């Protein structure tokens, strides 16, 4: 198996390297034995796992051989699916810290990111372990080893500084920079800096007019992004208004489910832009998988629980058979619905939605 050549100083590989390490440890297998199976030297494996030799720079055939070898040796299947998202996360980290000369070459301008990619970026820059990986990342290891991808403190701080500049320059680019701007703004919502909320509020002002639109327009996704970012920053009112605007507009309701389908992995992560929302196709995503993911994420959504609730209400209206397809998810949703009704934290619109969901589930039982 061939090894990669000398690495460009602009390349970052810490996220994919850490995921590779978790894959190897899931077998479990020492680095030396993996190197022997691949027919490469130990330093190459160590370079991959440390990020010094990014997996994103490995030749396609060599990467395929690595994947097949890990599978044959018994690596955890669920982790294999995170490797692509990890390489995407490394590309985003690299592009934010060392922006390309042409903004159109920025990965945040070239495809719609998935939840897994965004969560892995947050892991690298904030130390927030993705919920699906928490148990694996916490497994005991020998010695003082890191529990996640490690960027230097300087790179972590610089990431958000550069991300703000990227969002601002994308805003000046007008329509051409819409995807780059909204995705930069979303990742910037993880910024722990004291002035982050003030900066986000200023950045959101150019997107807030979209919140006043009651029917679907190409700017609909701006409204969704503005509402969710505002909620993450502690202001739920735009999100309440956005959820209210979905009601009664079929295109907006389907676009919302389509975006959830993409974000939650219920459809292939291959969208180069937001055009798929202009023609939402209910056959493009798996309704059962989407149901399971929305139900399973309710507890992971502080500030955005209203959007989850309304989306589940819409999905169950579209596919009333879903509770029969997955009774376990339906029981969990019924328990969460009861908790949410007792907690009284939902807006009036979302409260009606969860009451309807609760009633539908009771009838199913």
């Amino acid at each position: 198996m061939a090894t990669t050549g000398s690495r460009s100083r602009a390349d970052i590989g810490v996220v994919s390297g850490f995921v590779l390490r978790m894959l190897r440890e899931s077998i479990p297998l020492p680095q030396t034995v993996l190197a022997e199976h691949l027919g490469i030297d130990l330093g190459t494996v160590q370079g991959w796992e440390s990020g010094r030799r990014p997996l994103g720079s490995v030749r396609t055939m060599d990467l395929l051989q690595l994947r097949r070898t890990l599978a044959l040796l018994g690596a955890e299947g669920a982790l294999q699916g995170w490797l692509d998202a990890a390489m995407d996360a490394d590309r985003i980290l690299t592009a934010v810290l060392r922006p390309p000369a042409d903004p159109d070459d920025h990965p945040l301008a070239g495809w719609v990111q998935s939840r897994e990619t965004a969560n892995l970026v947050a892991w690298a820059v904030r130390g927030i372990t993705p919920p699906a990986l928490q148990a694996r990342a916490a497994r005991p290891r020998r010695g003082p080893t890191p529990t996640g991808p490690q960027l230097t403190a300087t790179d972590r701080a610089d990431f958000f500084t550069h991300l703000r500049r990227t969002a601002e320059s994308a805003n000046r680019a007008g329509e051409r920079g819409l995807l780059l701007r909204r995705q930069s703004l979303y990742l910037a919502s993880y910024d722990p800096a004291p002035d982050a909320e003030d900066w986000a509020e200023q950045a959101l002002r150019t997107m807030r007019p979209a919140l006043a639109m009651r029917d679907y327009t190409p700017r609909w996704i701006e409204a969704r992004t503005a509402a969710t970012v505002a909620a993450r920053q502690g202001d739920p009112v735009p999100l309440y208004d956005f959820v209210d605007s979905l009601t009664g507009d079929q295109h907006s309701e389907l676009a919302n489910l389509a975006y959830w389908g993409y974000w939650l992995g219920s459809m292939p992560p291959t969208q180069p832009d937001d055009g798929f929302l202009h023609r939402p196709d209910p056959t493009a995503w798996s309704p059962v998988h989407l149901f399971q993911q929305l139900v399973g994420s309710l507890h992971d959504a502080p500030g955005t629980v209203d959007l989850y609730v309304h989306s589940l209400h819409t999905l169950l209206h579209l596919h009333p058979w879903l509770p029969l397809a997955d009774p376990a998810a339906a029981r969990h949703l019924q328990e969460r619905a009861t908790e949410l009704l007792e907690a009284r934290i939902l807006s009036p619109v979302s409260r009606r939605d969860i009451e309807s969901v609760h009633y539908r589930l009771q009838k199913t039982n």
Side-chain angles (χ1 to χ4, degrees):
M1 180 177 179
T3 62
T4 56
S6 60
R7 173 173 78 92
S8 164
R9 292 179 62 191
D11 292 339
I12 291 175
V14 294
V15 182
S16 55
F18 195 84
V19 171
L20 174 61
R21 175 180 177 169
M22 290 196 296
L23 276 164
R24 176 180 57 78
E25 291 175 342
S26 74
I27 299 174
L29 206 67
Q31 289 177 329
T32 52
V33 178
L34 177 59
E36 289 173 5
H37 279 280
L38 293 170
I40 58 178
D41 61 272
L42 174 61
T44 298
V45 174
Q46 292 174 332
W48 287 342
E49 292 191 5
S50 68
R52 294 192 307 273
R53 297 187 177 189
L55 282 177
S57 300
V58 174
R59 295 190 315 176
T60 302
M61 289 304 298
D62 291 343
L63 186 59
L64 180 61
Q65 181 62 30
L66 172 62
R67 289 178 182 274
R68 287 177 173 171
T69 300
L70 288 168
L72 288 170
L73 292 172
E76 191 172 336
L79 275 175
Q80 288 265 24
W82 283 83
L83 205 52
D84 286 337
M87 287 189 287
D88 280 346
D90 283 331
R91 292 187 188 103
I92 290 171
L93 291 170
T94 299
V96 171
L97 288 168
R98 291 97 177 180
D102 186 348
D104 288 344
D105 292 334
H106 201 294
L108 291 177
W111 77 86
V112 182
Q113 63 178 310
S114 66
R115 176 179 63 170
E116 284 77 9
T117 299
N119 283 352
L120 288 169
V121 170
W123 198 10
V125 299
R126 284 294 310 276
I128 303 172
T129 307
L133 299 180
Q134 285 176 351
R136 299 176 181 90
R139 287 172 181 167
R141 298 180 175 89
R142 294 180 180 178
T145 56
T147 58
Q150 288 201 323
L151 290 175
T152 66
T154 299
D155 278 347
R156 289 184 181 217
D158 286 349
F159 175 84
F160 291 109
T161 299
H162 288 288
L163 195 61
R164 292 186 187 188
R165 294 173 185 165
T166 298
E168 290 163 359
S169 63
N171 185 44
R172 292 192 294 270
E175 294 290 324
R176 181 176 166 222
L178 287 179
L179 183 62
L180 178 58
R181 178 180 62 167
R182 76 167 185 81
Q183 296 201 126
S184 298
L185 181 59
Y186 179 82
L187 290 177
S189 66
Y190 286 104
D191 191 350
D195 66 336
E197 289 188 21
D198 291 339
W199 179 85
E201 174 59 30
Q202 292 290 329
L204 284 171
R205 287 184 180 179
T206 60
M207 302 175 74
R208 287 191 182 249
L211 286 167
M213 301 175 184
R214 305 303 295 181
D215 296 319
Y216 185 87
T217 74
R219 297 191 65 188
W220 175 89
I221 189 59
E222 287 189 66
R224 192 183 194 281
T225 301
T228 53
V229 169
R232 287 174 63 88
Q233 298 291 350
D235 179 10
V237 175
L239 184 63
Y240 297 155
D241 292 341
F242 176 76
V243 171
D244 186 44
S245 73
L246 292 176
T247 306
D249 180 34
Q250 185 179 25
H251 192 142
S252 296
E253 296 278 27
L254 289 177
N256 182 52
L257 292 181
Y259 193 82
W260 275 130
Y262 187 89
W263 179 252
L264 297 175
S266 302
M267 58 190 293
T270 55
Q271 299 297 336
D273 55 40
D274 295 323
F276 72 106
L277 300 174
H278 305 336
R279 300 169 298 279
D281 178 7
T283 67
W285 63 81
S286 164
V288 175
H289 185 271
L290 182 53
F291 177 62
Q292 294 166 341
Q293 292 299 307
L294 286 171
V295 170
S297 299
L298 265 175
H299 64 285
D300 296 326
T304 58
V305 64
D306 292 79
L307 184 56
Y308 277 87
V309 164
H310 182 78
S311 303
L312 277 163
H313 175 265
T314 305
L315 185 62
L316 286 170
H317 179 76
L318 191 64
H319 301 293
W321 49 268
L322 281 171
L324 298 175
D326 192 335
R331 286 193 298 271
H332 181 62
L333 177 56
Q334 190 165 16
E335 293 169 1
R336 288 293 291 122
T338 301
E339 294 170 0
L340 289 170
L341 287 169
E342 292 175 351
R344 297 183 178 278
I345 61 173
L346 299 173
S347 70
V349 171
S350 298
R351 186 172 180 82
R352 289 195 297 271
D353 287 340
I354 202 65
E355 286 173 347
S356 175
V357 168
H358 192 264
Y359 178 72
R360 183 185 295 274
L361 293 172
Q362 283 182 320
K363 286 183 63 178
T364 303
N365 293 335

